[in-house]
Amino acid sequence: MARGNIRIGIGGWTYPPWRGAFYPPDLPQKRELEYASRQVGAIEINATFYGRQSPKRWEKWAETVPAGFQFAVKGSRFCVMRSNLAEGAEGIGNFFSQGFAALGPKLGPILWQFHPRRKFAPGDIAAFVELLPREIDGTALRHAIEPRHDSFRDERFYELCRARNIAIVFADSNEYPCVEADTADFAYARLQCMNAEIPTGYSDEKLDEFAKRAKRWADGRDAYIFMINGAKVRAPAAALALQERLG
């Protein structure tokens, strides 16, 4: 089976410690997205978790990045922090009305990150899944869920995701359990244990391991892998080191 697209990425692009370490020292800040999007294959936008972005901003971002690049978009906290996810129809509607359909083919998966205290409640999670739109303005949507509680290690959860082609995030984390299952025609990983004392964030052994995983994840499907937490200053170097291993 042919290998799908593997996009290695980082979280965001505005981070002062990257200036001079990842970004050239003389690069104007307004050109950081332009530069970053030509070094990695994807960027996960975290700002959307906290608030809406303007339609003009989405249009500008789409114009700035090259063809083939994609943004992953983190779902709003107002959708995932409520007690009953099943009651989130209005919030989900508001989230999808902010204008990011302007990204078109540069729109990657939508990430829904659950609170660590949220346990798997089959009825509520099933209702939430049904609220997630399948497309927006003619653009098909991909959804990924990052559960952070052991109770989601449940075949009923896996089946809910498989039925809607929703990826379960592979999370390399020291704080939360990793719920690992292949449930969609794409894979989504968030690697969150970078070490500031290692120039590439992860050791050579771990990067080799992730490269092998990436090839397995991309066997006949796409894969998105983000260096996202831990020693954030090392995220670009970690992403580039993993890209190099994957050719």
Side-chain angles (χ1 to χ4, degrees):
M1 188 175 292
R3 191 172 90 173
N5 291 319
I6 301 176
R7 291 183 175 86
I8 311 299
I10 54 179
W13 60 88
T14 302
Y15 186 57
W18 288 349
R19 295 168 195 159
F22 172 47
Y23 296 122
D26 58 349
L27 183 76
Q29 186 174 347
K30 65 181 180 180
R31 294 188 60 195
E32 288 179 346
L33 175 58
E34 176 187 341
Y35 181 90
S37 64
R38 285 157 177 80
Q39 307 303 313
V40 297
I43 287 177
E44 185 183 283
I45 300 175
N46 190 56
T48 47
F49 180 76
Y50 299 100
R52 294 167 64 90
Q53 308 300 307
S54 70
K56 287 186 177 180
R57 180 167 291 180
W58 290 108
E59 292 168 6
K60 178 64 175 176
W61 290 344
E63 294 169 359
T64 300
V65 302
F69 179 90
Q70 288 190 348
F71 291 100
V73 180
K74 193 170 183 179
S76 169
R77 58 180 172 168
F78 299 108
C79 301
V80 294
M81 302 294 279
R82 59 178 59 248
S83 298
N84 298 312
L85 295 179
E87 298 174 356
E90 182 178 359
I92 289 174
N94 288 337
F95 175 74
F96 282 98
S97 69
Q98 64 185 285
F100 55 73
L103 295 177
K106 296 172 182 178
L107 173 62
I110 313 300
L111 168 68
W112 304 98
Q113 185 184 73
F114 290 165
H115 193 279
R117 290 196 296 272
R118 182 173 299 283
K119 298 179 181 179
F120 176 56
D124 194 41
I125 299 300
F128 173 76
V129 164
E130 286 308 308
L131 292 175
L132 301 179
R134 298 174 187 270
E135 59 91 26
I136 180 171
D137 292 351
T139 298
L141 294 174
R142 283 172 158 174
H143 298 279
I145 292 177
E146 183 178 10
R148 295 190 289 173
H149 192 277
D150 269 325
S151 61
F152 282 88
R153 289 192 176 112
D154 190 309
E155 189 60 37
R156 293 171 296 174
F157 174 56
Y158 305 160
E159 286 304 317
L160 283 173
C161 291
R162 287 191 186 104
R164 276 295 311 273
N165 194 38
I166 294 172
I168 298 173
V169 173
F170 175 90
D172 181 49
S173 170
N174 289 325
E175 297 182 65
Y176 310 116
C178 181
V179 180
E180 187 174 6
D182 294 338
T183 57
D185 65 2
F186 71 103
Y188 197 113
R190 304 178 85 239
L191 308 184
Q192 306 170 47
C193 295
M194 286 172 289
N195 185 332
E197 296 182 3
I198 301 174
T200 54
Y202 278 102
S203 68
D204 287 341
E205 291 75 17
K206 289 297 290 185
L207 288 168
D208 290 342
E209 175 189 327
F210 290 138
K212 290 178 182 178
R213 282 184 177 272
K215 291 175 182 177
R216 181 181 68 79
W217 288 330
D219 186 11
R221 58 183 182 157
D222 295 337
Y224 299 81
I225 304 169
F226 294 96
M227 299 296 180
I228 205 76
N229 261 337
K232 186 172 180 175
V233 69
R234 300 299 190 195
L240 294 174
L242 185 54
Q243 280 186 165
E244 184 178 2
R245 282 165 167 78
L246 293 166

